[in-house]
Amino acid sequence: MSGLMDGKVGLVVGVANKRSIAWAVTRALDEAGATVALTYQNERIEAGLRKLGDSLTTPPAAYLPLDVTDDAQLDSAVAGAADALGGIDFLVHAVAFANPDDLGGRYVDTAREGFMLALDVSAYSLTALTQRVEPHMVARGGGSIITLSYLAAERAVPGYNVMGIAKSALESSVRLLAWDLGESNIRVNAVSAGPVRTLAAKGVSGFTEMLDVAAERSPLRRLIAVEEVGDASMYLLSSISSAVTGEVLHVDAGYHAMAT
Ligand code: NAP
């Protein structure tokens, strides 16, 4: 995909470590010629993130602190990224969190506080970031935004619980954001990825069984590689998908197409 994103600059939110889906997207962006700014939620991961960033062909223009529940940090991270990059053409949103207790047992037992937390971090954050990147994308004549979703947005996945509700809200946000920003030539899409072993996935009860079922019942009879999410993201982030917006692209070896 060399050259596909030459000269393009953007913000990637959600790299925690080398296993993160956002890191696979960052590597694909780097190979395609883009320059990124990365964020970290707390100092605990900053050093590791800088080490990862140094391994890119074009090192990140900035590393910025960002807890997506904090409006002041949202303001400063987007402004800092735009300053360091000289503008923003794309945004990668790959952030999710729920109380560990809410990712197991019965969904019906979810308390208000856990519900609000999961929806705030995992769904509202896309809207909060989009509000802030919009003027920078308008200034460059358009842009592309992607977020990461999962099949539990569309189907009941026991164990995934409140995160399924958050993903439904996220995918619904994608459609409305696509409408609001479309007249400025800004596209908004989601990649619905099959299960991948990451830090966030460890918190989901029954995740190993989810991997087994996906490998057995997907049309391709295998799990996905995280690099395949990176490649599909390049399609949505680059001009080769110039007429695609409001879309949820399943990168799951076809699992979503099956009845069981
Ligand atoms: P990951 O590496 O653990 O990434 C999750 C990221 O969210 C981390 O960077 C984490 O930062 C960040 N985060 C959590 N709360 C935050 C907050 N308040 N402010 C800022 N950042 C926050 O796991 P991942 O699997 O790659 O997850 C990325 C996205 O892919 C998520 O939306 C996830 O739901 C989605 N997804 C994952 C799978 C899968 O099977 N892994 C499948 C489909 C979709 P810290 O680590 O610093 O907290």
Side-chain angles (χ1 to χ4, degrees):
M1 306 232 184
S2 177
L4 194 59
M5 296 290 286
D6 267 352
K8 296 291 182 189
V9 291
L11 177 62
V12 179
V13 181
V15 180
N17 56 42
K18 66 176 184 188
R19 290 181 190 277
S20 295
I21 292 176
W23 179 241
V25 178
T26 300
R27 275 187 291 137
L29 281 163
D30 183 51
E31 279 166 27
T35 306
V36 300
L38 300 177
T39 68
Y40 55 91
Q41 197 197 163
N42 54 51
E43 270 86 60
R44 183 174 47 81
I45 69 150
E46 185 187 353
L49 185 70
R50 285 180 180 273
K51 220 170 166 180
L52 279 182
D54 286 347
S55 69
L56 296 174
T57 311
T58 306
Y63 299 91
L64 302 151
L66 176 59
D67 179 332
V68 296
T69 62
D70 182 328
D71 284 340
Q73 284 192 30
L74 283 161
D75 290 341
S76 60
V78 172
D83 268 1
L85 294 163
I88 297 180
D89 296 307
F90 61 84
L91 167 71
V92 177
H93 171 274
V95 175
F97 184 77
N99 280 330
D101 289 350
D102 290 333
L103 294 175
R106 302 193 317 157
Y107 165 67
V108 68
D109 297 325
T110 307
R112 185 188 306 272
E113 196 194 339
F115 186 99
M116 302 298 267
L117 175 67
L119 272 281
D120 187 10
V121 175
S122 318
Y124 179 69
S125 59
L126 174 67
T127 299
L129 278 162
T130 300
Q131 281 168 10
R132 289 161 174 87
V133 298
E134 181 185 9
H136 300 289
M137 291 182 171
V138 168
R140 290 174 76 89
S144 180
I145 296 172
I146 64 162
T147 186
L148 267 299
S149 192
Y150 178 58
L151 190 61
E154 308 160 55
R155 313 273 171 77
V157 178
Y160 204 76
N161 295 1
V162 69
M163 193 57 80
I165 316 295
K167 294 301 190 193
S168 298
L170 184 72
E171 292 187 8
S172 189
S173 305
V174 163
R175 292 182 280 272
L176 275 167
L177 293 169
W179 168 252
D180 285 347
L181 278 67
E183 61 186 355
S184 300
N185 190 33
I186 299 168
R187 300 180 294 109
V188 186
N189 293 290
V191 173
S192 182
V196 176
R197 270 190 204 282
T198 62
L199 204 59
K202 270 190 188 164
V204 179
S205 114
F207 185 75
T208 304
E209 289 74 39
M210 282 165 70
L211 286 170
D212 292 344
V213 170
E216 204 176 289
R217 300 197 195 154
S218 299
L220 295 180
R221 287 8 176 240
R222 64 169 176 85
L223 294 174
I224 63 160
V226 72
E227 290 76 15
E228 294 176 307
V229 181
D231 289 346
S233 299
M234 281 318 92
Y235 164 67
L236 292 175
L237 289 169
S238 70
S239 60
I240 55 174
S241 63
S242 53
V244 179
T245 194
E247 183 65 285
V248 177
L249 176 63
H250 295 86
V251 181
D252 64 352
Y255 182 70
H256 70 282
M258 305 305 293
T260 56

